[in-house]
Amino acid sequence: MNSARSNNITPAQAYQELVERSRELSRINAIGSLAGWDQEVYMPPGGSASRAEMVSFAAELYHRKLTESRFGELLGIAQSGKLSAGEAANLREWRREYDRGVKLPDEFVVRAARLYSESFDVWQKAKRESNYAFFAPNLAKIIDTGREEAKYLGGTQNPYDALLDKYEEGLTSVKCDALFTQLKAALIPLLRKVKTAKNKPSRDLFQGASFNIEKQRVFGQQVSAALGFDYNAGRLDVSEHPFTNRIDTGDVRITTAFHLQDPLDALFSTVHESGHGIYEQGLLPEYRGTPLGTTGSMSVHESQSRFYENHLARSRPFWEYWFPKFQDIFKSETAGIGFDDFYRFVNRVEPSLIRTAADEFTYHLHIIIRFEIERDLLNGALDAAQLPEVWRQKYQSYLGVDVPDDAHGVLQDVHWSWGSFGYFPTYSFGSAYAAQIEAAMRRDIPSLDEALRRGQFSVPRLWLNEHIHKYGCLYTPSELIKHATGKPFDHADLINYLNNKFKSVYGK
Amino acid sequence: MNSARSNNITPAQAYQELVERSRELSRINAIGSLAGWDQEVYMPPGGSASRAEMVSFAAELYHRKLTESRFGELLGIAQSGKLSAGEAANLREWRREYDRGVKLPDEFVVRAARLYSESFDVWQKAKRESNYAFFAPNLAKIIDTGREEAKYLGGTQNPYDALLDKYEEGLTSVKCDALFTQLKAALIPLLRKVKTAKNKPSRDLFQGASFNIEKQRVFGQQVSAALGFDYNAGRLDVSEHPFTNRIDTGDVRITTAFHLQDPLDALFSTVHESGHGIYEQGLLPEYRGTPLGTTGSMSVHESQSRFYENHLARSRPFWEYWFPKFQDIFKSETAGIGFDDFYRFVNRVEPSLIRTAADEFTYHLHIIIRFEIERDLLNGALDAAQLPEVWRQKYQSYLGVDVPDDAHGVLQDVHWSWGSFGYFPTYSFGSAYAAQIEAAMRRDIPSLDEALRRGQFSVPRLWLNEHIHKYGCLYTPSELIKHATGKPFDHADLINYLNNKFKSVYGK
């Protein structure tokens, strides 16, 4: 698989060998992706044990290949050459991954992968039975494993920061605090206004009507295809927790979850995951198998899904195009519902229990709760046994809601079962990036709303292809945001966006 | 992954290291299985290129691990120890695979796997467009690759024999000829009788009625579950060509293909694949990852699917239980159809174009045609360009049918796209084994028909579990048939079975 074995090679030869190794790593990654997708979408229960073995086998193989000393030698040789910007970016990302990889012992990587794969099944069962106690022993192990990982990765005072950096290069607890402080300051007055608002949007627009699942699926698929998700290079399936899984640029899979009495939940999930999928499909195939052919930061990824879900699919012009079609498909179910009622319904603010069903405003409070809990779990200020109680207290104090049981509380998210501590904050950063991207797109395309009203969804997609997608990992996340929007990351666009949206629904 | 590296180990230690290596090989196999299943069932078209890479990567990895010289050393050490029958069987199978593996160069294995994966997609497209010319260049390469493989494997005068032996240890052209001569001698007089029969079964029992696909799926799933296919350890999906794919003992996947106007095609496919699936699910989990925990010969595998499809699901007692249920689900579609008409319809003899839709009688003529073609292709007596013409001639001369196009002719089977030359004859041997197994089962269980009439399908399943499934690879195929049925392989049971079945439909 690796042609040259000597150190007597030129930087260009070393770079080429790195490309070959990167492609091989990418093939192993694809195996892990397929195994993970299948586990959540189609695998029968009897497959759990051997699937855990398959996933940990692929993880171990990846880790071994990544951390071969040859990889380090090649990085050193290649770095001494004259590099194009793209080559330099590939080297930067390979170096980042290699340096992190060599810090983690093989044994740890295998053990962690097996634990996460098994824990996913345990979490599913615990959630189904709303029984946190069943999941708690696994979570305790996962927390220990997270601390262990942070210790290996080191380099920062705060163990949580080591994990945050995995998902967004350079992200720290301090940066999270800065964003979350701004968000709290903006959101708390808005939530107060919601409570006292006179003309509130309907909370139950469809009044128990039943929406045929097959029709929902067809409509969702039509919408996502119109937005630009390419079904020749992707699929839509059903899973408990919607997700996007890239096997390869030409094979990107999204999922949703249907509910008979709530057609919008599945639709917004489909649109959200389509945003992720369109990003993956927008990578340039010529870079396949190298970092330039992959998406980099989780926050930028999340900016794409949130742009599609919130900035497009909760906007007036979007629904001016789709609402008549929606009404056509669900005639009796939507009889008597006016456009304005519908628009205000899909944008209503309502403190709730479930993060994935939360509105754009209170959503960030769900994230802040997870951020605080993760930070405290990792720092040892909190342990697994206390979680349901802490969860209840925080939901009461931040959102004013009572948590009735574990399934609607601490068990709702899959992330911790996978050991993904430090992932949640990227959702809020994703929202902030999405708002900054929308502002830039509107400067470039003053007629954007007109295009959306006409169903010309290739207009925003091509802008994103051009300003975000095609770059892959060429830039670091902060460089990319600056390059795409013309200014460094700035909370202000998100705050402005939320204030404007709020006015459009509640009138000042 | 492999603990001991020294040669200073006991035979027992060597055996244990072989078990660990076998388990690792089995994990790599599971990756290939999952990738193959997904490719045929759910993968979007854009995934083809990277899937071919994934499959060849797994094949190469498997081949490298298998053929490490350490594996050969361990075999030598372990063989000198005192072995239980099970351990001896594992060693026999490891040895067989290792010896074959080391004969094939790494480069060849990778090239062949990539060719087959790509060719599968080309075949699908060619079949869809009924255009053999589109597939021909791939097939020519596949034939060369088959010849090349036979050359590496060597050891026989006839290149085709080297490939036959892959699917059934010890199978040769001579043994095939012996069975096929007997079958021709029995079938030709029967086909003559069919032509002149007075009271022929209906050829169009349902007269164009439409059978809802979802209802077909539910009924098929109900039947297969009753037969013993465990849906906690398996799935039923849809693919162009029905197949069974074992990811692991706890995760066995079957597929079928539904047709609106022919509910029995999908049903018999589901039952057929359930027979394969029940075999895989009946292996003992304690042997997982070693040959004792796998099915051995393709003929024995096929005996299980054919036993379920033909000997059970085309029998009177089977339908005495299921026909009223079938009529209940499809009331208007089956109105006025009597039990006898139905029984004779599902057992009618009718020369036709498509192997997988052929009756139990003419089926073997389809196999004989493929056997003759494969043998001639491999021996160089025939080349890819001549295939459609030879196909047409043989179908005219053996079955008396005119082949209208490539989709209904030479492109109908997937096997050659995968490079599976030598596989087809195992179907006929499977039928012969199935008949011999039924005869033995009836000696052991005189009340079998009564059990079937009552829907007690665990009765035949438990017999198969006990006499076939649980042994895995303990015996060679011929030993297993002898052990399970009390006598060596014998064509006579199949000939008797076919004659009796024929009488029950056509009256002598």
Side-chain angles (χ1 to χ4, degrees):
Chain A
M1 291 178 230
N2 308 305
S3 42
R5 298 299 307 174
S6 145
N7 277 329
N8 270 334
I9 54 174
T10 64
Q13 287 169 325
Y15 182 83
Q16 198 44 47
E17 194 181 328
L18 284 165
V19 167
E20 283 165 35
R21 284 175 171 265
S22 182
R23 290 201 181 123
E24 191 178 7
L25 289 170
S26 152
R27 256 165 238 151
I28 302 170
N29 243 343
I31 290 168
S33 288
L34 178 63
W37 172 83
D38 180 76
Q39 180 171 13
E40 285 181 65
V41 177
Y42 291 119
M43 188 189 79
S48 296
S50 72
R51 184 55 48 92
E53 287 175 12
M54 189 191 290
V55 168
S56 67
F57 174 79
E60 182 184 15
L61 191 61
Y62 187 95
H63 187 70
R64 279 176 177 246
K65 294 268 173 194
L66 171 68
T67 57
E68 278 173 6
S69 58
R70 176 73 177 168
F71 203 98
E73 290 160 24
L74 291 167
L75 285 174
I77 300 169
Q79 238 138 6
S80 69
K82 195 171 142 60
L83 300 164
S84 71
E87 289 167 346
N90 273 340
L91 276 175
R92 182 194 74 228
E93 291 299 318
W94 286 328
R95 165 64 68 192
R96 180 168 138 85
E97 207 188 346
Y98 175 77
D99 285 351
R100 198 164 48 205
V102 294
K103 290 178 183 168
L104 301 175
D106 286 357
E107 176 278 326
F108 171 81
V109 171
V110 180
R111 175 158 46 85
R114 189 166 300 159
L115 173 65
Y116 300 150
S117 178
E118 285 166 2
S119 298
F120 172 73
D121 292 318
V122 174
W123 167 76
Q124 271 198 321
K125 190 164 183 284
K127 187 180 172 187
R128 216 160 25 237
E129 297 171 3
S130 195
N131 179 2
Y132 175 75
F134 184 70
F135 180 56
N138 277 68
L139 185 58
K141 276 188 228 163
I142 292 169
I143 295 164
D144 286 345
T145 307
R147 282 207 203 103
E148 198 181 341
E149 183 177 358
K151 208 178 63 196
Y152 290 129
L153 295 176
T156 55
Q157 299 172 307
N158 184 332
Y160 187 45
D161 284 4
L163 304 182
L164 282 168
D165 183 78
K166 277 170 66 179
Y167 302 106
E168 169 94 354
E169 192 175 346
L171 190 59
T172 61
S173 310
V174 170
K175 287 186 188 176
C176 291
D177 264 334
L179 174 62
F180 292 148
T181 304
Q182 298 258 355
L183 273 170
K184 274 194 213 166
L187 289 170
I188 287 163
L190 293 185
L191 289 187
R192 243 182 260 124
K193 282 188 197 168
V194 167
K195 276 199 185 151
T196 59
K198 284 183 185 145
N199 181 17
K200 285 183 186 163
S202 167
R203 296 182 59 189
D204 181 22
L205 192 70
F206 303 120
Q207 307 190 343
S210 227
F211 292 75
N212 178 281
I213 301 292
E214 181 55 17
K215 283 189 189 174
Q216 285 193 44
R217 198 190 57 72
V218 170
F219 183 65
Q221 210 153 339
Q222 192 187 343
V223 171
S224 65
L227 293 176
F229 184 74
D230 177 0
Y231 280 92
N232 275 313
R235 298 185 44 82
L236 170 65
D237 293 278
V238 170
S239 68
E240 190 166 337
H241 182 90
F243 67 95
T244 298
N245 187 318
R246 163 224 175 86
I247 317 283
D248 202 292
T249 313
D251 185 358
V252 177
R253 304 182 181 195
I254 61 175
T255 71
T256 191
F258 293 104
H259 308 286
L260 205 53
Q261 300 191 326
D262 180 356
L264 298 177
D265 188 52
L267 181 69
F268 285 122
S269 287
T270 303
V271 170
H272 179 101
E273 302 306 333
S274 293
H276 285 304
I278 290 166
Y279 185 11
E280 293 287 355
Q281 291 178 339
L283 296 165
L284 300 187
E286 57 262 43
Y287 299 129
R288 198 160 71 87
T290 74
L292 280 177
T294 63
T295 60
S297 112
M298 286 301 130
S299 298
V300 176
H301 227 305
E302 202 60 25
S303 76
Q304 300 304 292
S305 55
R306 271 150 211 277
F307 176 80
Y308 273 96
E309 180 187 353
N310 294 330
H311 297 256
L312 285 192
R314 292 187 202 271
S315 75
R316 281 185 180 274
F318 177 92
W319 284 107
E320 282 169 32
Y321 182 78
W322 286 111
F323 190 60
K325 294 172 175 57
F326 180 69
Q327 283 186 309
D328 249 23
I329 295 173
F330 297 110
K331 277 203 181 60
S332 63
E333 298 85 346
T334 59
I337 296 176
F339 181 83
D340 244 50
D341 293 339
F342 184 85
Y343 172 76
R344 297 183 68 223
F345 176 73
V346 303
N347 285 294
R348 76 196 180 283
V349 181
E350 193 180 344
S352 66
L353 290 165
I354 305 295
R355 176 184 60 85
T356 56
D359 59 76
E360 294 179 70
F361 300 83
T362 57
Y363 186 89
H364 298 290
L365 298 173
H366 292 264
I367 294 302
I368 291 168
I369 290 172
R370 284 155 181 77
F371 163 72
E372 292 174 357
I373 288 178
E374 289 191 333
R375 188 193 49 198
D376 293 351
L377 284 173
L378 269 293
N379 296 348
L382 188 63
D383 73 49
Q386 300 167 274
L387 260 197
E389 188 45 36
V390 170
W391 192 276
R392 244 175 257 122
Q393 284 166 4
K394 286 187 187 277
Y395 265 77
Q396 183 48 253
S397 114
Y398 291 32
L399 284 146
V401 294
D402 288 326
V403 176
D405 56 41
D406 296 338
H408 295 84
V410 63
L411 288 176
Q412 67 184 267
D413 295 310
V414 66
H415 304 62
W416 293 339
S417 81
W418 286 334
S420 294
F421 297 115
Y423 193 115
F424 284 117
T426 67
Y427 290 131
S428 287
F429 278 87
S431 292
Y433 292 170
Q436 189 165 335
I437 285 167
E438 190 197 352
M441 191 188 290
R442 287 192 179 279
R443 272 197 310 276
D444 289 354
I445 314 169
S447 61
L448 180 66
D449 282 346
E450 192 45 36
L452 301 181
R453 242 173 244 126
R454 291 187 183 157
Q456 293 162 349
F457 300 107
S458 61
V459 171
R461 180 177 55 79
L462 290 172
W463 192 96
L464 294 170
N465 283 162
E466 189 55 32
H467 292 83
I468 306 273
H469 305 169
K470 75 172 188 189
Y471 291 119
C473 278
L474 182 63
Y475 301 117
T476 65
S478 48
E479 285 169 2
L480 177 61
I481 291 303
K482 188 176 169 193
H483 188 271
T485 68
K487 65 172 184 179
F489 173 57
D490 181 357
H491 309 145
D493 287 322
L494 176 59
I495 310 292
N496 280 343
Y497 165 76
L498 290 173
N499 282 326
N500 289 336
K501 176 68 81 80
F502 188 84
K503 270 182 214 149
S504 81
V505 179
Y506 291 88
K508 76 168 194 146
Chain B
M1 293 180 230
N2 309 301
S3 42
R5 298 299 308 175
S6 146
N7 277 328
N8 270 335
I9 55 174
T10 65
Q13 286 169 325
Y15 182 83
Q16 198 44 48
E17 194 181 327
L18 284 165
V19 167
E20 283 165 35
R21 284 174 172 265
S22 183
R23 289 199 182 123
E24 191 178 6
L25 288 170
S26 152
R27 255 165 240 152
I28 302 170
N29 243 342
I31 290 168
S33 288
L34 178 63
W37 172 84
D38 180 77
Q39 180 172 16
E40 284 182 63
V41 178
Y42 291 119
M43 187 189 79
S48 296
S50 72
R51 183 56 48 93
E53 287 175 10
M54 190 191 289
V55 167
S56 67
F57 174 79
E60 182 185 14
L61 190 63
Y62 186 96
H63 187 69
R64 279 175 176 248
K65 294 268 173 194
L66 172 67
T67 57
E68 278 173 5
S69 59
R70 176 74 178 170
F71 202 99
E73 291 159 23
L74 291 167
L75 285 173
I77 300 169
Q79 238 138 6
S80 69
K82 197 172 143 57
L83 299 163
S84 72
E87 289 165 348
N90 273 341
L91 276 175
R92 183 194 74 228
E93 291 299 317
W94 286 328
R95 166 63 69 190
R96 182 170 137 83
E97 209 189 345
Y98 174 77
D99 284 351
R100 200 164 46 206
V102 293
K103 290 178 183 169
L104 300 176
D106 286 356
E107 175 279 325
F108 171 79
V109 171
V110 179
R111 176 159 46 87
R114 189 165 301 159
L115 173 65
Y116 301 151
S117 178
E118 285 166 1
S119 298
F120 172 73
D121 292 317
V122 173
W123 166 77
Q124 272 198 321
K125 188 162 183 284
K127 187 179 173 189
R128 217 162 23 238
E129 297 171 3
S130 195
N131 179 3
Y132 175 75
F134 184 69
F135 180 57
N138 277 68
L139 185 58
K141 277 188 230 163
I142 293 169
I143 295 163
D144 287 345
T145 307
R147 283 207 203 104
E148 197 181 341
E149 182 176 0
K151 209 178 62 195
Y152 291 129
L153 294 176
T156 56
Q157 299 171 305
N158 184 330
Y160 186 45
D161 284 5
L163 303 181
L164 282 167
D165 184 78
K166 275 170 66 180
Y167 302 106
E168 170 93 354
E169 191 174 347
L171 189 59
T172 61
S173 311
V174 170
K175 287 187 187 174
C176 292
D177 264 334
L179 174 62
F180 293 147
T181 304
Q182 297 257 356
L183 274 170
K184 274 193 212 167
L187 290 171
I188 287 163
L190 293 184
L191 289 187
R192 243 183 259 124
K193 282 188 198 169
V194 167
K195 276 197 185 155
T196 60
K198 284 185 186 141
N199 181 17
K200 285 182 186 164
S202 167
R203 294 181 60 189
D204 181 21
L205 193 69
F206 303 120
Q207 306 188 341
S210 226
F211 292 77
N212 177 281
I213 301 293
E214 181 55 18
K215 282 188 188 176
Q216 285 194 45
R217 198 190 58 73
V218 169
F219 182 65
Q221 209 153 341
Q222 192 189 344
V223 171
S224 65
L227 293 176
F229 184 75
D230 177 0
Y231 280 92
N232 276 314
R235 299 184 44 81
L236 170 65
D237 293 277
V238 169
S239 67
E240 189 166 338
H241 183 89
F243 67 94
T244 299
N245 187 319
R246 163 226 175 83
I247 316 282
D248 203 292
T249 312
D251 185 359
V252 178
R253 305 181 181 196
I254 61 176
T255 71
T256 190
F258 294 103
H259 309 284
L260 205 53
Q261 301 193 324
D262 181 356
L264 298 177
D265 187 53
L267 181 69
F268 285 123
S269 286
T270 302
V271 170
H272 180 102
E273 303 305 333
S274 293
H276 285 304
I278 290 166
Y279 186 10
E280 294 287 354
Q281 291 178 340
L283 297 165
L284 299 187
E286 56 264 43
Y287 299 129
R288 198 160 73 86
T290 75
L292 280 177
T294 63
T295 60
S297 112
M298 285 299 130
S299 298
V300 176
H301 227 306
E302 202 60 24
S303 76
Q304 300 304 292
S305 55
R306 270 149 211 279
F307 176 81
Y308 273 95
E309 180 186 353
N310 294 330
H311 297 256
L312 284 191
R314 293 186 202 271
S315 76
R316 281 186 180 275
F318 177 91
W319 283 107
E320 283 168 31
Y321 181 78
W322 285 111
F323 189 60
K325 293 172 175 58
F326 179 68
Q327 284 187 307
D328 250 24
I329 294 172
F330 298 108
K331 278 204 181 61
S332 63
E333 298 85 344
T334 59
I337 296 176
F339 181 83
D340 245 49
D341 293 338
F342 184 84
Y343 172 76
R344 297 182 68 224
F345 175 73
V346 304
N347 285 293
R348 75 196 181 284
V349 181
E350 193 180 343
S352 66
L353 290 165
I354 305 294
R355 176 184 61 83
T356 55
D359 60 76
E360 294 182 71
F361 300 82
T362 57
Y363 186 90
H364 298 290
L365 299 172
H366 292 262
I367 295 301
I368 291 167
I369 290 171
R370 285 156 180 76
F371 164 71
E372 293 174 357
I373 288 178
E374 289 191 333
R375 187 193 50 197
D376 293 351
L377 283 173
L378 269 293
N379 296 349
L382 187 63
D383 71 50
Q386 299 167 275
L387 259 196
E389 188 45 36
V390 171
W391 192 276
R392 244 174 255 124
Q393 284 167 5
K394 286 187 187 279
Y395 266 77
Q396 183 48 253
S397 115
Y398 290 33
L399 285 146
V401 294
D402 290 324
V403 175
D405 56 42
D406 297 337
H408 295 83
V410 65
L411 287 177
Q412 68 184 267
D413 295 309
V414 67
H415 304 60
W416 294 339
S417 81
W418 287 333
S420 294
F421 296 115
Y423 193 116
F424 285 116
T426 68
Y427 289 130
S428 287
F429 278 87
S431 292
Y433 291 170
Q436 189 165 334
I437 284 167
E438 189 197 352
M441 191 188 289
R442 288 193 178 277
R443 275 197 310 276
D444 289 354
I445 313 169
S447 62
L448 180 64
D449 282 345
E450 193 45 36
L452 301 182
R453 241 172 246 127
R454 291 187 182 157
Q456 293 163 350
F457 300 106
S458 62
V459 172
R461 181 177 56 79
L462 289 171
W463 192 97
L464 294 170
N465 284 162
E466 189 55 32
H467 292 80
I468 306 273
H469 304 169
K470 75 171 188 190
Y471 291 118
C473 277
L474 182 63
Y475 301 116
T476 65
S478 48
E479 286 169 1
L480 177 61
I481 291 303
K482 188 176 171 190
H483 188 271
T485 68
K487 65 171 185 182
F489 172 58
D490 181 359
H491 311 144
D493 288 321
L494 176 59
I495 310 291
N496 281 342
Y497 165 76
L498 290 174
N499 281 325
N500 290 336
K501 175 68 81 78
F502 187 84
K503 271 183 212 146
S504 81
V505 179
Y506 291 87
K508 77 170 194 143

